[in-house]
Amino acid sequence: MVAELRSADIDGSGPGWEEQLAVLESVEQRVLWLSTAITDHANRVRPNPSGLKVGGHQASSASMTSIMTALWFNALTAQDRVSVKPHASPVLHAINYLLGELDESYLTTLRAFGGLQSYPSRSKDPDPVDYSTGSVGIGATAPLWGALARRYVDGHFGGAGTGRQYSLLGDAELDEGAIWEAIQDPMVPGLGEVVWIVDLNRQSLDRVIPGIAADKLQGMFAAAGWQVVSLKYGHLLQELFVRPGGEALRARIDAMGNPEYQRLLRCSADELRERLPGTSSTAEPIAGLIAPLDDASLLAALRNLGGHDIGALSDALAGVDDSRPTVIFAYTVKGYGLPTEGHPQNHSSLLTADQMRALADRLGTDLDHPWTRFAEGSAEAALCSAAAQRLHRPEYAPQEPPAVPADLGRPAPTGTGNTQQALGRVLLDLTRKAPDAASRIVTVSPDVSSSTNLGGWLNKVGVWSPAERTDWFADDAETILHWRERPTGQHVELGIAETNLVGLLGELGATWSRWGQPLLPIGVVYDPFVNRALEPWSFGIYAGGQSILVGTPSGVTLAPEGGAHQSITTPSLGIEQPGCVTYEPAFAIDTEWCLLAALGNLAGPQGSSAYLRLSTRPIDQSAAAVPGDPAARERRRRHATAGAYRLRQHEKPVVTLAAMGALIPEALAAADRLASLGHGADVVCVTSPDLLFRALQARRGLSDDPTWILDQVFPRDRATPLVTVLDGHSHTLAFLSTIQNVPVSTLGVSRFGQSGSIEDVYRYHGMDTDSIVATALDLIG
């Protein structure tokens, strides 16, 4: 037999390979038909009053039908997970339909509201989807981080099982830098359960990819420690290669550029007999080799690439070395089996009604009844039923995450400190005061653990590694950070690529829904580099991964480091990012409360991710003026975690200063100066512009968020002209004026920074104490 096939998947009687292969190929043809018909119905049959393009990718789906048929109906187990390339989503839905996982009513709803999504979605599709894809490069790499997350869960809590992690991706997707950042991370070479299958159809959206890049790509994977499998030719071509003239034919095709090969796919048999031999010395033996072949055999042989040969695919999958990651380059034809196959502009092309009817006749289906299942009692129906039973997964009842305390009870700090220091201290306090919750925390860092104050946490909980490693500096008296790597560790250290960091965060944040085991993941990255990570982090949130991203240090407050290390737009991140709450605390106690609130909101169906923007600027912590009375302290905590609190309240205010984060000292100093001039100023400390904006939207009837914080912090009877200031773009707080419709002037950062002292840099950006005072005086006349 070419590959081991579960005989029970056919009819339990153990038929031979030829019979099994015939059944698999019959199922493959039905998958091709269904995936093509799903897109056809959405574009040609379903009413479209607006006339707006619906779209779909029949050709991209067709190139994947053989690969996905071989996987689902032969190779996969219930423990395996698969990330499907975005444009092959109709193939996934077709397979789920044949497995009984998708109701027929959904087959007519591709790209319709509430229907099948444009690209596979864990959170929105009605049928099983292992990984959301659609953002090129991110869905492909997700199984790497899924493998790490599974290992972490299984090592700490058990029950996550085993199984391979597959990625199905197009060859053009290998242009994405995220791919190469991921495969080069030091954690990845040990992930033997990872298998990538590259749909090497040699076409992108606009064109046939010039040149022959496969060898270079394979070399790059091999250099990264991966097993590389090239699945170039199917059995028809392999049989021709061993005949007289076969070596010449192989050499001719191997040396042929992508565009020439694609052009041959568009030739008739007569044209192919003329063009295929070429003009070199090998032309005569090639012509002699193909002369006896009938037209159908010749055309079939040219298309018989490894990615369309189920026997070759099964053999390759059975031979995967599970000791290291594997990539299979499966050569395919874009649009395989369709009238558009091989055409350089077939990416989004759609078959006409006549072409669909001809396709239905050739594949033995009915265009007028496109969703007919295999006949009861047929070998194909038996295969689908057996595969469905084999792939059935147990339901994991999600565990409730341990309760996270709202307040650790620590007296409010009175010395000088910063919010970044508070991060490490809160994590250590949790190990003592809430050990159950602390045991679920996993921190992730791209090589900045020591510089972001995680050293104490690392020394306490250790660094995670699949196997224990020797700490060669354990006996070095001058070593402060102890790098103890062991399976029980709770910190994962990656390379410096922020994309990898948030990719892993997303998968760690999804373990509650995959295996019922809640984790509380926290990723720490320099805030100036957060924008690099936003797209994959956003995609992880969309896919159901809940995590906390900490950006620190932040802003132009990093004055001596200048414009190369600054962040301007990150303060408003939460306002613009669904599924995420943003906090920017000013004081250590605010950091504690906001972090605890964010941790308590993770790992559940109604949970949310969070972004904390922290600073290294030393601030006098006594300025927080935390009330000593327990009830008053709790009121302050509730306000801080709801978005803002009144830090200074004047008897007769004529202006309100709303400040955030590191700019609180300037706001307080400006209030003192204004008071000395006879102008009372209230000072509001904003901890989350995001939550305040949500409350304002709810007041307008646009959401269901609570609104009480607006009346508490910005009451009508204290409505005065407003000055806002923050270390970031001023638009972040501009909306606050609409709470009570008061005049506003907004101060912040809108140009690249400069090196210098904090005083010089704040003055340069017009957000120093003098600027706040002058702006307030202009407002109040």
Side-chain angles (χ1 to χ4, degrees):
M1 289 172 58
V2 176
E4 290 185 9
L5 215 70
R6 300 171 177 86
S7 60
D9 287 355
I10 304 298
D11 60 13
S13 61
W17 169 246
E18 293 298 329
E19 289 82 0
Q20 297 179 62
L21 183 59
V23 176
L24 278 167
E25 289 175 343
S26 178
V27 171
E28 173 195 16
Q29 290 186 340
R30 186 59 57 88
V31 171
L32 173 64
W33 166 256
L34 287 170
S35 62
T36 306
I38 287 170
T39 303
D40 175 68
H41 191 281
N43 286 272
R44 192 182 58 81
V45 181
R46 191 171 68 214
N48 183 11
S50 71
L52 188 67
K53 173 188 173 183
V54 176
H57 301 88
Q58 291 174 330
S60 294
S61 292
S63 68
M64 288 294 300
T65 53
S66 307
I67 294 170
M68 293 177 68
T69 299
L71 270 175
W72 265 265
F73 295 96
N74 175 36
L76 289 184
T77 72
Q79 298 281 358
D80 298 336
R81 298 290 187 272
V82 188
S83 173
V84 177
K85 79 171 188 178
H87 292 164
S89 64
V91 184
L92 178 61
H93 298 312
I95 289 173
N96 280 334
Y97 173 63
L98 292 178
L99 295 176
E101 296 283 2
L102 181 66
D103 188 79
E104 180 180 321
S105 62
Y106 281 104
L107 299 181
T108 61
T109 67
L110 180 69
R111 301 190 175 203
F113 187 81
L116 300 176
Q117 298 301 296
S118 307
Y119 312 121
S121 172
R122 284 192 75 218
S123 58
K124 293 184 178 181
D125 270 316
D127 52 334
V129 174
D130 291 334
Y131 289 99
S132 296
T133 58
S135 190
V136 177
I138 295 172
T141 58
L144 296 175
W145 317 125
L148 278 177
R150 187 206 63 77
R151 289 190 180 203
Y152 186 95
V153 167
D154 203 56
H156 282 76
F157 310 106
T162 56
R164 288 178 180 170
Q165 298 276 346
Y166 289 92
S167 282
L168 310 181
L169 62 157
D171 51 347
E173 199 164 2
L174 294 177
D175 289 346
E176 280 291 337
I179 297 286
W180 303 105
E181 288 184 346
I183 72 167
Q184 293 182 84
D185 192 272
M187 280 283 186
V188 169
L191 300 176
E193 64 267 47
V194 168
V195 179
W196 284 14
I197 304 177
V198 178
D199 172 16
L200 195 68
N201 61 42
R202 293 171 284 190
Q203 284 186 235
S204 61
L205 189 151
D206 292 328
R207 60 177 182 166
V208 177
I209 298 172
I212 303 174
D215 289 344
K216 179 183 72 173
L217 294 170
Q218 291 170 18
M220 293 167 70
F221 275 97
W226 289 51
Q227 175 188 219
V228 179
V229 178
S230 180
L231 201 58
K232 189 169 185 177
Y233 299 119
H235 71 283
L236 295 179
L237 279 172
Q238 296 282 10
E239 290 175 3
L240 284 177
F241 292 156
V242 299
R243 298 181 185 180
E247 284 301 318
L249 177 61
R250 180 193 286 271
R252 164 85 168 116
I253 298 178
D254 281 345
M256 190 181 294
N258 293 338
E260 183 182 3
Y261 176 79
Q262 296 289 107
R263 181 63 186 90
L264 292 179
L265 294 172
R266 308 292 300 168
C267 290
S268 66
D270 289 342
E271 292 172 324
L272 191 57
R273 294 182 193 279
E274 180 182 347
R275 292 190 179 207
L276 181 57
T279 58
S280 69
S281 60
T282 60
E284 185 175 342
I286 295 174
L289 172 66
I290 64 177
L293 300 178
D294 60 53
D295 289 353
S297 297
L298 177 60
L299 293 172
L302 183 70
R303 290 156 172 75
N304 183 227
L305 300 180
H308 297 304
D309 191 307
I310 290 182
L313 286 162
S314 300
D315 193 32
L317 292 168
V320 166
D321 173 12
D322 285 326
S323 68
R324 54 183 173 148
T326 297
V327 58
I328 299 173
F329 284 87
Y331 284 72
T332 62
V333 175
K334 193 165 186 175
Y336 181 73
L338 303 181
T340 58
E341 66 179 3
H343 193 282
Q345 279 84 52
N346 67 6
H347 182 79
S348 298
S349 65
L350 299 169
L351 270 60
T352 65
D354 289 343
Q355 288 174 325
M356 285 295 298
R357 193 166 297 281
L359 181 67
D361 292 341
R362 180 166 65 82
L363 297 179
T365 58
D366 184 350
L367 181 60
D368 298 321
H369 301 90
W371 319 124
T372 303
R373 296 180 182 272
F374 289 114
E376 195 70 30
S378 66
E380 292 86 352
L383 175 61
C384 293
S385 175
Q389 293 178 35
R390 167 169 47 82
L391 297 176
H392 178 73
R393 293 174 183 165
E395 291 283 337
Y396 288 100
Q399 293 186 25
E400 283 291 325
V404 178
D407 189 341
L408 296 176
R410 174 190 286 270
T414 56
T416 299
N418 62 58
T419 54
Q420 180 177 289
Q421 292 170 338
L423 170 68
R425 188 176 67 241
V426 173
L427 293 178
L428 284 175
D429 283 350
L430 278 168
T431 64
R432 294 186 290 268
K433 299 192 176 185
D436 288 344
S439 71
R440 296 282 172 166
I441 292 175
V442 52
T443 54
V444 186
S445 170
D447 199 35
V448 294
S449 302
S450 56
S451 57
T452 53
N453 287 85
L454 288 182
W457 164 257
L458 262 67
N459 288 342
K460 176 75 173 179
V461 303
V463 177
W464 179 79
S465 174
E468 189 151 357
R469 297 176 181 172
T470 301
D471 179 7
W472 294 104
F473 290 87
D475 58 350
D476 188 335
E478 296 183 8
T479 299
I480 299 175
L481 183 64
H482 300 292
W483 207 260
R484 291 189 287 268
E485 297 180 85
R486 54 199 179 192
T488 58
Q490 292 180 240
H491 174 79
V492 182
E493 188 82 2
L494 299 175
I496 65 172
E498 289 81 11
T499 298
N500 294 346
L501 166 88
V502 295
L504 179 55
L505 276 183
E507 291 307 316
L508 291 169
T511 60
W512 66 271
S513 60
R514 290 197 190 280
W515 302 290
Q517 289 289 354
L519 294 177
L520 309 178
I522 302 173
V524 182
V525 64
Y526 286 168
D527 197 72
F529 308 145
V530 162
N531 283 328
R532 298 182 189 176
L534 284 186
E535 185 201 0
W537 191 49
S538 172
F539 203 79
I541 294 172
Y542 167 78
Q546 299 165 15
S547 63
I548 298 173
L549 184 62
V550 178
T552 183
S554 61
V556 298
T557 298
L558 279 167
E561 299 195 41
H565 279 67
Q566 67 172 3
S567 48
I568 297 174
T569 61
T570 52
S572 63
L573 190 157
I575 296 176
E576 297 133 14
Q577 174 60 56
C580 167
V581 177
T582 288
Y583 297 101
E584 186 166 346
F587 299 102
I589 191 66
D590 296 347
T591 305
E592 173 187 314
W593 290 335
C594 292
L595 178 59
L596 294 176
L599 286 169
N601 204 26
L602 295 177
Q606 306 304 317
S608 170
S609 292
Y611 170 66
L612 267 70
R613 189 175 191 251
L614 305 182
S615 173
T616 52
R617 184 186 183 185
I619 290 179
D620 178 8
Q621 298 298 305
S622 64
V626 179
D629 179 80
R633 175 186 170 108
E634 172 58 16
R635 181 175 184 271
R636 166 67 70 84
R637 185 201 67 79
R638 289 183 65 244
H639 284 198
T641 57
Y645 58 88
R646 301 185 71 80
L647 182 58
R648 178 98 42 101
Q649 188 160 297
H650 196 274
E651 185 176 321
K652 294 181 179 179
V654 295
V655 67
T656 299
L657 310 179
M660 189 163 73
L663 268 295
I664 280 293
E666 279 63 35
L668 291 172
D672 291 339
R673 291 258 301 274
L674 288 167
S676 70
L677 297 173
H679 305 294
D682 285 350
V683 178
V684 171
C685 179
V686 176
T687 54
S688 176
D690 176 17
L691 292 177
L692 295 180
F693 183 77
R694 295 186 194 192
L696 186 59
Q697 292 291 85
R699 176 182 281 182
R700 294 166 176 159
L702 300 177
S703 77
D704 296 327
D705 293 282
T707 64
W708 62 268
I709 189 64
L710 301 179
D711 296 324
Q712 292 284 312
V713 179
F714 298 96
R716 167 58 64 183
D717 61 358
R718 299 189 71 84
T720 61
L722 181 67
V723 178
T724 67
V725 60
L726 75 153
D727 185 357
H729 201 285
S730 60
H731 79 85
T732 305
L733 300 179
F735 73 90
L736 294 179
S737 65
T738 65
I739 297 173
Q740 296 296 353
N741 295 314
V742 296
V744 64
S745 287
T746 60
L747 304 179
V749 182
S750 58
R751 49 185 171 166
F752 289 118
Q754 297 285 337
S755 296
S757 68
I758 284 181
E759 292 78 12
D760 289 339
V761 171
Y762 283 2
R763 188 178 305 112
Y764 170 76
H765 289 286
M767 56 191 200
D768 58 324
T769 301
D770 285 351
S771 297
I772 297 172
V773 170
T775 302
L777 292 175
D778 287 343
L779 268 181
I780 61 181

